[in-house]
Amino acid sequence: MAEQQEKSALPPHFTHGGLPHLGSLHYDELRSMTVLIVDDVPDNVDLLKAMLTKSGFTRVLTAASGKEAMTHLRENMRNHISTVDAVLLDIMMPEMDGYEVCRTMRAFEEWADIPVIMVTANATWQEKVARESFDAGATDIMFKPIRRVDLMPRILSSLALKKERDLRKSREQELETELAERRIMETRLQHLVNHDDLTGLFNRRRLEQQLEIAVLRSRKKQRFSALLYIDLDHFKVINDAEGHITGDCLLIEVANLLRREIGLNDLLARVSADEYAILIENTTEAAVLETAERLRKLLDAYYYRTDNHCYHIGASIGIALIQPGDVTGASEILARADQACYVAKTNGRNIVHLFNREDTAMVTLRSAIHWVPIIRDALTNNKFKLVFQPVLDIQNRRADHYESLIRMVGDDGKLITPNNFIPVAEHMGLIHDIDLWVVNQAIDVLQNLPAHQSHIAMNINLSSYAFQDKALLPMLREKLEKTGVKAERITFEITETAAVANYEQTREMIMKLRELGCMFALDDFGAGFNSFRHLREFPVDYIKIDGSFIRNLAKDTVDQSLVRSMIDIARTLGKKTVAEFVEDRATLEMLRDWGADYAQGYYIGKPQAEFTLPELDY
């Protein structure tokens, strides 16, 4: 009955069980928290523990002294965090009283946030005890006798406070961790802005920045600097054979090798997959060349070993000087060094090359920049055309064969000769499209000839790359079937140099084209050192004697002997001869007397849009 009256006397913010409304914090969470009771009187400990147990608390620790309380606190730690959530602490205890326990707890960060409720006997000096308790760091104070209806709201409020403090501290730690990770990430990103992620070297961006500074220093301080551009020669072989992981390991090793060799003030950067650059300031041309050669030898002597293989790489090195009087920017210096490295590669690799504006490879490259869009436009918009030069049958004085020659129609309507654009097309990979255009166009011309010219045959010039193009044979077969043009009317011309460059592959393609019925002429015959051996082994129907033997034939007795021997040997091998660059009557008559089969040149007829042959008197 007394208990019922006690419950009914509770303030309105308490529940039936004497438990306060504490917002979103669930009672089960609070009752599962750990409470430590510290009192040297066993009856007091039992009473407080019974109150807590009756209110549903499941984790209650007890201590009979201040020292034992400190032991509990030290033992109940997890990851440097105390698992004790609140302390009911008696003030009056021997040896170590409640004040000292509380002050000790507040001195350590691990226990500083644990709520401490001081418990003491009722006395007239309550105000003094309260002040001393709070000065020691207590959270609350209760005077005996303790009633459960008073204890529960205080202990629950303290635990709720502890819970909120823990949540806040956890959130603060999360924020600190997040900020620390963000700072690390920002530092990492800042590092990546200027460094290569794989090797740790500076990257192209940082190199360009330092190049700009080096150029300004060169102008102001009148001193030389230089940029070395290093390209590994056989990296792709290793990367393809062993895989990208092995390739990455090689790149790191090379980076470390170069890092050990450069000066303290030199800048080493990785500018692309297998390319490095070294900026050397305040130097001389001789010193730079010496450094570059030393690095070349170092890389030439380097071997990369895997489990099963040992690879040699080597490197090509290009050098661009930064000179006081040279008004240029960082991008131009980098381009020059890259171009010099390109020349080193085209000249055989594993060499050092100093940038020179007059390098043939660079002239071709600059020419390509101009011609490539023009060539593409011509292919797209049909701005090529064929002209035809007669090939005279010397004995019969007639022209049944014509050589087709490509021209480009310029914007002004004038014809552009192939020596302007064919080298660029070969270099830039556009020659295959041109070859196929020529074949298509030549067959279309043969198909559309009037009946009285249906006997005319066409000599078609193809590049040295055409006979490695697998698209040529099926395209030609389909074109001949579609148009009805006989394959015997087509003679493909191939230079001796092109035939030798890819001998087996070219010979195989020629055999397949001959099976269709096409014929072949070996062009520029005699210009090489092995001409007669090639003539014996190569499956051709005609040989075209190189023009260098024909131009001065009437006056040069040596050329006369050579040409006569070529005609005799060709006849012995069952092949017909064509003499190029016939430019006068005397030369034509000599060729006729020696038994040459065909003649071609300006005396016979210039390249024209029509099939024409002037009247010849010989």
Side-chain angles (χ1 to χ4, degrees), residues 297-517:
K297 290 179 179 178
L298 179 72
L299 293 171
D300 187 39
Y302 171 75
Y303 287 86
Y304 184 72
R305 290 174 173 81
T306 63
D307 293 337
N308 302 316
H309 298 92
C310 180
Y311 294 97
H312 170 259
I313 49 172
S316 301
I317 302 178
I319 303 174
L321 296 177
I322 305 172
Q323 305 179 68
D326 190 5
V327 181
T328 186
S331 58
E332 175 63 20
I333 296 297
L334 188 58
R336 289 179 184 180
D338 188 11
Q339 291 169 13
C341 185
Y342 171 79
V343 174
K345 277 193 171 294
T346 57
N347 288 340
R349 302 174 183 267
N350 196 29
I351 61 173
V352 174
H353 184 79
L354 183 64
F355 173 78
N356 183 350
R357 290 183 180 277
E358 305 307 318
D359 286 328
T360 303
M362 286 300 96
V363 172
T364 303
L365 191 59
R366 285 191 288 270
S367 178
I369 295 173
H370 169 74
W371 279 105
V372 164
I374 297 176
I375 295 171
R376 291 189 185 278
D377 178 62
L379 286 166
T380 303
N381 298 305
N382 199 28
K383 292 184 179 180
F384 287 119
K385 70 175 297 184
L386 293 180
V387 293
F388 310 98
Q389 187 174 28
V391 181
L392 176 70
D393 185 331
I394 297 176
Q395 306 303 326
N396 296 327
R397 299 189 181 188
R398 57 182 292 178
D400 293 331
H401 289 74
Y402 285 81
E403 180 178 354
S404 60
L405 302 168
I406 191 171
R407 299 289 187 267
M408 181 189 290
V409 181
D411 292 337
D412 57 359
K414 294 182 180 180
L415 298 184
I416 302 171
T417 56
N419 59 297
N420 289 289
F421 57 85
I422 289 297
V424 174
E426 291 179 341
H427 183 73
M428 302 304 293
L430 296 171
I431 193 63
H432 296 290
D433 292 330
I434 294 178
D435 282 330
L436 296 179
W437 183 91
V438 169
V439 174
N440 267 296
Q441 189 68 16
I443 295 175
D444 286 341
V445 169
L446 290 176
Q447 179 192 15
N448 295 321
L449 285 175
H452 69 279
Q453 291 182 322
S454 60
H455 62 285
I456 288 178
M458 189 82 75
N459 287 22
I460 300 176
N461 280 294
L462 293 178
S463 73
S464 59
Y465 301 93
F467 298 98
Q468 281 78 55
D469 188 351
K470 294 182 180 179
L472 175 61
L473 181 62
M475 185 278 288
L476 180 62
R477 183 186 290 115
E478 181 181 352
K479 188 72 175 181
L480 292 175
E481 291 176 356
K482 183 178 180 180
T483 59
V485 173
K486 294 182 179 180
E488 293 79 6
R489 296 174 67 188
I490 296 174
T491 299
F492 288 111
E493 296 189 7
I494 181 171
T495 64
E496 182 182 3
T497 304
V500 174
N502 294 280
Y503 186 83
E504 292 299 331
Q505 191 173 357
T506 302
R507 191 175 189 277
E508 182 182 353
M509 178 62 79
I510 289 176
M511 295 299 292
K512 291 179 179 178
L513 292 173
R514 282 173 64 87
E515 290 175 3
L516 292 179

Side-chain angles (χ1 to χ4, degrees), residues 560-581:
Q560 292 172 13
S561 298
L562 290 172
V563 170
R564 291 180 70 174
S565 65
M566 292 180 197
I567 294 172
D568 291 340
I569 292 173
R571 186 184 298 114
T572 302
L573 295 174
K575 304 179 190 300
K576 295 183 178 181
T577 52
V578 182
E580 297 182 290
F581 288 85

Side-chain angles (χ1 to χ4, degrees), residues 550-554 581-592:
I550 305 298
R551 285 192 181 95
N552 297 316
L553 187 63
F581 288 85
V582 176
E583 297 179 355
D584 55 62
R585 177 177 175 177
T587 300
L588 180 59
E589 290 178 344
M590 293 176 73
L591 293 168
R592 178 198 60 191

